[in-house]
Amino acid sequence: MAKKSKKQQSGGTPATVALTAAGVDFTVHAYDHDPSHPSYGEEAAQAMGVSPERVFKTLVADVDGSLVVGVVPVAGSLDLKALAAAVGGKRAAMADPALAERTTGYVRGGISPLGQRKKLPTVLDDSAESHATICVSAGRRGLEVELAPGDLAKLTEAVLAPIGRG
């Protein structure tokens, strides 16, 4: 596993470019992605040796006809009803994967809450606040970025709410 600080990062993904432009402290974690692994998030946690409660997955849902991003620990799942409530909606369902990819500019398993092609409303599970740092996708499979949850919330203009189910 390679670690790079933002000072060592060259080029990068839209997510790392956005973090660098914002002047936020972050660390990039790269690992060899195994396409046969059943869970992108669990694979990332194992590869980095980080607790699954600190590795967050980025999920795109359709809430009352609009796309919304939910960011929850890989150790659990997204509570769609809670996500809808967090953004003042009534109904939520997982978004069509192709639509999520087109809208964010990222591929499934590599969707980052940062640097999306079209900035979507974002809800971050409030469990993130219990960690000094969390990891989220850096914009491609096999690449994660570690940062303070407050920085992630600020950059994505996220609402913090209990949207994860353990």
Side-chain angles (χ1 to χ4, degrees):
M1 169 181 59
K3 286 187 177 182
K4 292 182 181 179
S5 72
K6 69 177 181 180
K7 291 174 181 55
Q8 298 168 310
Q9 183 72 20
S10 60
T13 66
T16 59
V17 169
L19 287 166
T20 300
V24 170
D25 287 329
F26 66 95
T27 303
V28 171
H29 299 273
Y31 61 92
D32 292 326
H33 167 62
D34 175 2
S36 68
H37 200 287
S39 167
Y40 298 116
E42 289 174 13
E43 177 192 27
Q46 291 168 359
M48 294 185 304
V50 174
S51 163
E53 287 78 23
R54 280 190 49 228
V55 180
F56 282 63
K57 56 189 169 186
T58 305
L59 302 170
V60 181
D62 179 314
V63 177
D64 298 336
S66 296
L67 295 182
V68 175
V69 171
V71 184
V72 297
V74 301
S77 61
L78 174 63
D79 181 335
L80 289 165
K81 194 176 218 177
L83 177 68
V87 295
K90 293 188 183 344
R91 290 199 155 149
M94 293 307 296
D96 173 69
L99 178 60
E101 289 180 345
R102 274 194 317 274
T103 305
T104 64
Y106 294 119
V107 298
R108 205 168 62 117
I111 294 178
S112 178
L114 299 156
Q116 296 173 354
R117 182 177 290 147
K118 178 182 179 195
K119 189 174 183 176
L120 298 172
T122 301
V123 181
L124 175 60
D125 185 67
D126 61 1
S127 69
E129 293 182 299
S130 65
H131 305 288
T133 61
I134 61 171
C135 298
V136 296
S137 175
R140 72 172 186 254
R141 296 172 188 156
L143 197 67
E144 293 279 311
V145 65
E146 182 178 352
L147 74 165
D151 288 337
L152 178 63
K154 183 178 177 184
L155 290 174
T156 60
E157 299 175 12
V159 170
L160 273 86
I163 59 166
R165 284 193 292 219

